[in-house]
Amino acid sequence: MAGEITETGELYSPYVGLVYMFNLIVGTGALTMPKAFASAGWLVSLVLLVFLGFMSFVTTTFVMEAMAAANAQLHWKRMETHKEEEDEDSSTTSDSDILTQDNYERAEKRPILSVQRRSSPNLFEITDRVEMGQMASMFFNKVGVNLFYFCIIVYLYGDLAIYAAAVPFSLMQVTCSVSGNDSCGVDTDAKYNDTDLCWGPLGRVDAYRIYLAVFTLLLGPFTFFDVQKTKYLQILTSLMRWIAFAIMIVLALVRIGNRQGEGHPPLANFLGVRNLFGVCVYSFMCQHSLPSLITPISSKRHITRLVFLDYGLILAFYGLLSFTAIFCFRGDSLMDMYTLNFARCDVVSLAAVRFFLGLFPVFTISTNFPIIAVTLRNNWKTLFHREGGTYPWVVDRVVFPTITLVPPILVAFCTHDLESLVGITGAYAGTGIQYVIPAFLVYLCRKDTQLTFGYGVVNKHRSPFRHTFWVAFVLLWAFSCFFFVTANIVLSETQL
């Protein structure tokens, strides 16, 4: 649950940790990026992608510095508590002998790595997994903590709405095309309306809502219980993801190499920047999961450099996926879910590959939906929790799961415009999590560290962007984004 100090978990090497970060960042947002690229123009898209990747790296280093500062606070409190206990126990000889014997026995049984960590002279070593909610409670005031949880909850609601719409939409696209005249899959040249027929008298929108109802009935009940992602499920979904991405990139490159590419993207189209911005912010989102990713890394000596390398690889991957897409397919034929562009006979001749790519979001997204739903439910509980208080059974087991599940399902019932859902979620809640919260965290943790340890103490994991200018720049950029996106939405609605 957010707001609690949790177990660090099994340690792994820095390179394994960076693979986990790569897999976390490259997710659903990557599938909506090609259409956003085609709408905004390739040059504008490239510039914005690189800049937003750099800004995400800056705030990632902010969060790592705040994690180190939070660990220093916890280590200092433990040292103070241990010192007080030693002073009390030294009053009697017999008690001291018992304590010495007990400490000796525990040291003999404790793993060597644990002993080394506990004796580490550096207070800023990241050994405890301190989630962002806990950091917010350590460095923010009460209003700041509530605003933090509000931002996290809005973002998770957006995540659930995207997932709840993506699975039924993919199923509708594949099955309605197969059941119709086009037995080879989705015809991206055709412009379908929700009122078009799918199964007999049932329209496409009816099929979508039937799939949404089935999705809710199958996965919704997990919101009322505790679920945990297993290691093997992670391996399976990661393997499927990379097979799908590799197939799409290779097929697009082959078509372009055979002069079958149909795409002629514009240089710049500022009308498409709004959705592109939201999609890019959403696609670089990892700040809220950094404590789970960074803390178990065994050696953090060069962690900042390795994270920078990871961001470079992610940028290269996003660029390769999006550029092959916009030059392979016409901009008006690119689907909200890029995988659906490959459910055509003229693109993929093998039926098994067409169905694998068309249904790929169904498998990967469905495994994540219950986990995000439980995370959102737990954040609601944490937000309203009071010290020493407990919730009645009905509130704990019925009310919180219901308010978690119903809103995203209603949003998905009303719209399946995935590009807009991803864009709005990234542009608003995503901006708060990726820019505003890390900037305030690092600013306040620096002040707190100076007050607690003095001005001469140096945080070994401090950000390379240590000047206050960078904090102000990130906040200025974040509020500019809020203003730009809101103004763009208002102007678009006015023109309509």
Side-chain angles (χ1 to χ4, degrees), residues 239-487:
L239 183 63
M240 290 179 62
R241 177 188 299 139
W242 290 113
I243 291 174
F245 281 132
I247 290 174
M248 290 187 290
I249 291 173
V250 170
L251 288 175
L253 286 173
V254 169
R255 283 178 62 83
I256 295 171
N258 292 336
R259 299 184 182 277
Q260 294 177 314
E262 304 168 348
H264 301 283
L267 196 68
N269 179 14
F270 292 100
L271 294 177
V273 171
R274 182 192 77 195
N275 274 341
L276 174 67
F277 168 76
V279 168
C280 289
V281 170
Y282 185 82
S283 299
F284 281 110
M285 185 66 65
C286 69
Q287 282 73 10
H288 59 305
S289 298
L290 284 175
S292 303
L293 291 170
I294 300 296
T295 307
I297 293 177
S298 56
S299 174
K300 306 178 181 69
R301 185 177 178 183
H302 303 295
I303 190 66
T304 303
R305 297 177 189 174
L306 292 174
V307 169
F308 180 77
L309 174 63
D310 215 20
Y311 267 91
L313 293 173
I314 291 166
L315 270 175
F317 173 79
Y318 280 160
L320 181 61
L321 180 72
S322 300
F323 272 85
T324 54
I326 62 177
F327 284 100
C328 181
F329 299 100
R330 294 198 321 269
D332 58 352
S333 69
L334 280 167
M335 308 288 287
D336 284 349
M337 296 293 286
Y338 180 48
T339 49
L340 296 174
N341 280 88
F342 295 89
R344 290 167 42 186
C345 280
D346 60 328
V347 178
V348 183
S349 58
L350 194 60
V353 176
R354 289 199 305 271
F355 279 100
F356 171 74
L357 292 177
L359 298 177
F360 160 71
V362 176
F363 304 124
T364 57
I365 290 174
S366 296
T367 58
N368 287 336
F369 184 89
I371 299 160
I372 295 175
V374 170
T375 302
L376 175 57
R377 183 199 69 191
N378 290 343
N379 274 279
W380 273 120
K381 290 183 180 180
T382 306
L383 180 61
F384 290 106
H385 186 260
R386 296 295 175 265
E387 191 69 29
T390 57
Y391 295 115
W393 184 89
V394 174
V395 175
D396 185 59
R397 291 295 180 179
V398 179
V399 175
F400 282 122
T402 301
I403 65 174
T404 297
L405 184 63
V406 171
I409 297 300
L410 288 178
V411 171
F413 182 84
C414 296
T415 181
H416 54 69
D417 187 351
L418 293 173
E419 188 183 14
S420 295
L421 286 174
V422 171
I424 292 172
T425 301
Y428 285 104
T431 299
I433 294 172
Q434 194 166 151
Y435 301 138
V436 178
I437 291 173
F440 278 113
L441 267 180
V442 77
Y443 178 74
L444 293 173
C445 86
R446 287 170 181 173
K447 292 182 64 176
D448 193 83
T449 299
Q450 290 176 353
L451 288 173
T452 306
F453 304 109
Y455 288 89
V457 176
V458 177
N459 186 335
K460 64 178 293 185
H461 293 292
R462 64 180 179 176
S463 169
F465 311 95
R466 58 183 66 98
H467 198 280
T468 310
F469 162 79
W470 287 104
V471 176
F473 180 71
V474 169
L475 290 174
L476 179 63
W477 167 248
F479 290 119
S480 299
C481 293
F482 279 124
F483 176 79
F484 167 75
V485 173
T486 304

